[in-house]
């Protein structure tokens, strides 16, 4: 892995915090040129300053809403004009979603979750495929979740987006193998990683209990597995347990296990039998 990332041009979305920041710093340490994007300009600048400590210059950054195709097109143009291409795209940006049960969710929030977590990945993948195809040794890294294996309470929109990323990327792996097999495609399923994705008051208990794996540890593992060309990467708190449970348990047994584990984290008002979501 020591030379795999040297002089590679890497585009990282969601680089203002969490795993995105870890990707930026750890890749800079490995000699990569990083182009960083995020919707949060202030924290993106903080990440850029951390990267500059390792290579002496501030990396290229762009304020970027991954749900906007026009901004993806501008990003690809910037990458092409500045670096004459892209070797690795990391579709890392994501949001937590509604954090309520189905009957308490609203369509605006569901749509935003899908626009960022799924369509952001789709638009980034399609926009950058020409650049990745032109690179002699390239990689696409799409971030799903362990919630791309199981449906969990209070995360139906988030699960839907991450299941969608999984299906989309697994199909793409087969397709690209027929035409551009030199493009490595990787599907990442993080477990409970200590990031800022869970920001709402409703998810505070979940964050405290489950989001415990340091983001640098998670990203170091991902970079190791990408260099080894492992297509599916499962790591982080409860990650492998969740993966194997999804494979080995019946759906009814899986539901019982998940329900028991999540029961103490639910907000009582959301599970009232007379909740307005059950009324016409």
């Amino acid at each position: 892995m020591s030379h795999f990332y040297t002089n590679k041009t890497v585009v990282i979305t969601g680089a203002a915090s969490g795993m995105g920041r870890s990707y930026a710093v750890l890749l800079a340490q490995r000699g990569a040129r990083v182009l960083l994007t995020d919707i949060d300009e202030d924290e993106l600048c903080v990440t850029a300053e951390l990267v500059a400590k390792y290579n002496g210059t501030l990396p290229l950054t762009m304020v970027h809403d991954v749900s906007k195709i026009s901004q993806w097109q501008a990003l690809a143009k910037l990458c092409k004009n500045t670096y004459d291409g892209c070797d690795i795209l990391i579709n890392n940006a994501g949001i937590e979603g509604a954090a309520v049960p189905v009957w308490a969710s609203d369509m605006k929030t569901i749509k935003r979750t899908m626009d960022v977590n799924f369509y952001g990945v789709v638009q980034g993948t399609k926009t950058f495929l020409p650049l990745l195809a032109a690179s002699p040794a390239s990689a696409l890294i799409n971030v799903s979740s362990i919630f791309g294996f199981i449906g969990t309470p209070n995360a139906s929109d988030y699960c839907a987006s991450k299941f969608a990323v999984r299906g989309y990327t697994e199909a793409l792996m087969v397709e690209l193998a027929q035409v551009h097999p030199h493009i490595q495609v990787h599907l990442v399923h993080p477990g409970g990683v200590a990031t800022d994705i869970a920001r709402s008051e409703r998810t505070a208990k979940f964050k405290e209990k489950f989001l415990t794996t340091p983001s640098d540890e998670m990203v170091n593992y991902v970079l190791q597995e990408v260099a080894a060309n492992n297509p599916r990467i499962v790591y982080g708190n409860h990650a492998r347990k969740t993966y194997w449970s999804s494979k080995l348990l019946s759906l009814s047994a899986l539901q019982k296990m998940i329900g028991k584990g999540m029961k103490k984290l639910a907000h009582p008002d959301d599970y009232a039998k007379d909740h307005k979501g059950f009324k016409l």
Side-chain angles (χ1 to χ4, degrees):
M1 186 178 73
S2 57
H3 302 296
F4 183 84
Y5 298 101
T6 303
N7 295 323
K8 292 283 182 69
T9 298
V10 185
V11 173
I12 306 164
T13 68
S17 63
M19 287 176 59
R21 179 170 287 173
S22 292
Y23 279 120
V25 173
L26 294 174
L27 281 165
Q29 291 176 1
R30 288 164 170 78
R33 293 180 296 272
V34 293
L35 196 169
L36 312 177
T37 86
D38 201 285
I39 200 169
D40 186 337
E41 184 174 12
D42 291 340
E43 289 300 317
L44 186 61
C45 289
V46 174
T47 301
E49 291 170 359
L50 291 172
V51 168
K53 292 181 180 180
Y54 294 98
N55 59 19
T57 59
L58 287 170
L60 200 61
T61 62
M62 176 178 161
V63 178
H64 175 210
D65 181 345
V66 297
S67 71
K68 307 295 184 184
I69 185 61
S70 60
Q71 294 185 26
W72 273 111
Q73 292 166 343
L75 177 61
K77 184 176 181 180
L78 176 65
C79 196
K80 174 67 176 175
N81 291 343
T82 306
Y83 299 121
D84 196 32
C86 175
D87 301 302
I88 301 174
L89 170 64
I90 306 177
N91 278 314
N92 169 75
I95 57 177
E96 67 175 328
V100 294
V102 168
W103 54 84
S105 60
D106 64 85
M107 289 306 300
K108 182 179 179 181
T109 303
I110 294 170
K111 185 177 185 303
R112 180 60 180 167
T113 302
M114 293 301 294
D115 282 347
V116 173
N117 291 0
F118 176 57
Y119 288 110
V121 170
V122 171
Q123 293 177 157
T125 297
K126 286 179 64 63
T127 303
F128 270 77
L129 273 179
L131 297 181
L132 297 177
S135 169
S138 57
L140 171 68
I141 303 169
N142 287 346
V143 181
S144 177
S145 168
I146 56 169
F147 287 0
F149 295 128
I150 61 171
T152 58
N154 307 314
S156 56
D157 56 341
Y158 184 81
C159 290
S161 69
K162 295 303 185 177
F163 266 80
V165 169
R166 174 185 164 194
Y168 179 81
T169 306
E170 288 181 359
L172 178 64
M173 288 175 179
V174 180
E175 295 166 347
L176 277 179
Q178 314 306 311
V179 287
H180 288 294
H182 72 285
I183 303 177
Q184 296 182 195
V185 183
H186 303 275
L187 185 56
V188 182
H189 295 276
V193 179
T195 71
D196 292 331
I197 191 169
R199 301 186 182 191
S200 70
E201 183 178 340
R202 288 177 177 270
T203 54
K205 290 182 180 179
F206 174 83
K207 181 176 183 179
E208 181 180 353
K209 184 173 182 178
F210 289 106
L211 305 189
T212 58
T213 300
S215 62
D216 279 3
E217 178 184 329
M218 176 72 206
V219 169
N220 267 317
Y221 185 83
V222 171
L223 296 179
Q224 170 188 308
E225 294 300 290
V226 169
N229 199 13
N230 181 4
R232 189 188 305 283
I233 303 170
V234 182
Y235 191 78
N237 186 33
H238 283 260
R240 293 196 176 99
K241 175 184 176 181
T242 301
Y243 172 74
W244 285 112
S245 295
S246 72
K247 296 292 185 182
L248 300 175
L249 295 181
S250 67
L251 186 54
S252 58
L254 191 62
Q255 288 172 341
K256 290 178 181 178
M257 184 190 78
I258 296 168
K260 183 178 180 181
M262 301 293 288
K263 189 174 182 180
K264 294 180 180 179
L265 303 177
H267 196 287
D269 291 347
D270 289 338
Y271 285 82
K273 290 185 178 181
D274 62 347
H275 190 282
K276 64 180 181 180
F278 295 116
K279 299 176 182 178
L280 291 176

